[in-house]
Amino acid sequence: MIAFKTLLVAREGKGVVRPIVIGDRCLIGGGAMILPGVTIGDGCVIGAGAVVADDVPSGCIAVGNPARVVRRGIETARFGRLQGVVGNEGRDPLPE
């Protein structure tokens, strides 16, 4: 899920295209900027306003400018919802 006002930049200054890859079950926060050539692994959460210039491994939370990994080994459900968090149990009314 990609939130509002998120910028995905796939072209460098000289027009060279470097694709952006976003894995499954990721949540990209509002106002985040993903720079050219970045790969975001499966099950990641990118904080609002983060500027992601380097690859983010699977199962991580990355925040800040520049974005850095603050937590590893997380598990996400649909729409980037964290699993195992108190209060998230049984809150997925949509069928798989």
Side-chain angles (χ1 to χ4, degrees):
M1 174 183 286
I2 299 176
F4 62 97
K5 294 186 180 180
T6 299
L7 180 61
L8 303 174
V9 181
R11 209 175 276 274
E12 291 181 337
K14 295 183 179 183
V16 177
V17 175
R18 292 180 56 206
I20 296 170
V21 179
I22 300 175
D24 294 332
R25 299 177 326 276
C26 291
L27 173 68
I28 312 294
M33 181 184 296
I34 314 298
L35 298 181
V38 169
T39 298
I40 298 174
D42 294 338
C44 287
V45 176
I46 307 298
V51 177
V52 184
D54 296 318
D55 293 349
V56 178
S58 296
C60 291
I61 298 175
V63 297
N65 179 8
R68 64 185 176 87
V69 174
V70 295
R71 180 164 293 166
R72 296 178 187 274
I74 65 167
E75 292 184 30
T76 56
R78 294 180 66 202
F79 307 117
R81 183 176 295 141
L82 295 176
Q83 291 193 13
V85 175
V86 176
N88 268 353
E89 300 85 13
R91 285 193 155 185
D92 198 356
L94 300 174
E96 289 289 330

